Every structure is written in structure tokens, then in C-alpha cells.
Amino acid sequence: MNPILDEKQIIPTHQFGFRHNHSTKDQVRYLSRKYSRGKQVCSSLFLDVVQSLDKVWHEGLFHKLELLLPTEYSLLLKSYLSGRYFQVKQDDEYSGLRPIKVGVPHGSVLGPVLYLLYTSDLPQPEGPTVATFADDTAIMAVGADVVDATEKLQIAADEINNWTRQ
């Protein structure tokens, strides 16, 4: 699947996590090169999605897989996530089986890749820079002063926040 992801450039260039030959050092170099020039002020916002692999909504992921991948891949990945159930045990009692509608399997090779596909359409606001490492996101904006940089950062953060509500 990686050749298709690379050929179609599905995983955005701002994503440095869960990718071959990409590291935190590469991300720091990327951001440093972008903002080490001039005497402008840089405002930054750092976000971390807690338990990100557990928050991947299956129906939304299936829709994105259909748009991004050849049919045989999207159907295979859909079957990989479909038909899974969980059960809760408390003391000696068990709940009934419930379908799993969110999350990707932990410890699997596909889990992180599915998360990257799910978040591959994260908006790239005009001006500010978005850089992601797995589920960590840095948004950086420069301006002539703190107020200017912070206003640009707020506009970018609002755009990304609106995307998360879709």
C-alpha cells in the first residue's frame, strides 16, 4: 500500500510521524528552516490528540478510503475493521457483545497508517504552517509583532477546529 500512498501523495508532506525516513529531527529542521529568518515574531500552538487511534470514526474513515484508494484496497481495509465486537467484564459478569464503531487496532502495522489516512485532509491554512507528527500538531504563524502573529495563528486554529467538527 505504501507505493500507492507515495505515488498519489496521499499522506501530506507536513506529516512526519509513522512514516519511513521521517523523524522528529526532520520535523524540527523543517520548522527551523521555515522560521529562522528575519526579525519577525513567531506564535505557536501545539496540539496533541489524546488516544488518537481510539478516536478514528469508522464510517468517516471508510468514506475517505473510498475517495483515496483503489477499490480493492478500500474494501480490504473496510473488511479489516468491520465485524469487530467488544465485551466488558466486571467481576464475574459479562456484558453483551457490542459492535466497535471507532478506533483502529493498536499494535498493528495498519493502525497508524489508517490514522494518517483519516487525518490526511487536515487543512493547510494560508500563511501559517502546520506540521504534524502522528497525532501531535504544531501550528506556527509569523507576524510583525505578537498581536499580528497571534491573530494569524487564531485564524488558522479556527479553520482546523472547524475541520474537526465535520
Side-chain angles (χ1 to χ4, degrees):
M1 189 163 66
N2 283 335
I4 291 172
L5 299 179
D6 292 340
E7 178 186 318
K8 291 184 164 192
Q9 299 177 337
I10 293 172
I11 306 300
T13 57
H14 65 76
Q15 177 59 260
F16 289 83
F18 302 136
R19 296 182 67 200
H20 186 65
N21 292 328
H22 287 73
S23 70
T24 52
K25 290 178 187 177
D26 295 319
Q27 186 179 36
V28 168
R29 276 192 290 265
Y30 168 76
L31 292 171
S32 295
R33 273 189 237 125
K34 200 155 179 109
Y35 292 110
S36 63
R37 297 172 244 129
K39 294 198 178 225
Q40 293 184 307
V41 173
C42 180
S43 292
S44 303
L45 176 64
F46 298 94
L47 309 168
D48 178 27
V49 179
V50 177
Q51 299 175 333
S52 59
L53 297 181
D54 295 331
K55 296 190 173 149
V56 175
W57 175 49
H58 288 182
E59 289 302 317
L61 176 61
F62 297 157
H63 176 72
K64 290 180 182 186
L65 293 175
E66 289 172 7
L67 295 174
L68 296 171
L69 298 175
T71 303
E72 59 272 15
Y73 285 89
S74 64
L75 289 174
L76 180 65
L77 292 171
K78 185 175 180 177
S79 76
Y80 173 69
L81 291 174
S82 299
R84 292 176 178 249
Y85 295 85
F86 72 94
Q87 184 176 53
V88 177
K89 177 185 178 195
Q90 183 175 0
D91 299 323
D92 292 331
E93 299 291 320
Y94 290 89
S95 70
L97 291 174
R98 301 273 191 231
I100 298 174
K101 298 179 182 178
V102 295
V104 294
H106 290 244
S108 69
V109 173
L110 283 176
V113 174
L114 292 170
Y115 178 78
L116 294 184
L117 290 168
Y118 186 66
T119 59
S120 65
D121 59 347
L122 179 75
Q124 289 294 292
E126 195 67 36
T129 298
V130 174
T132 53
F133 192 93
D135 64 347
D136 297 319
T137 302
I139 308 169
M140 302 174 84
V142 295
D145 55 37
V146 173
V147 172
D148 183 36
T150 304
E151 285 175 355
K152 291 176 183 176
L153 184 63
Q154 183 63 54
I155 291 167
D158 289 344
E159 186 176 333
I160 290 172
N161 187 42
N162 290 335
W163 171 83
T164 63
R165 295 174 191 266
Q166 294 179 6

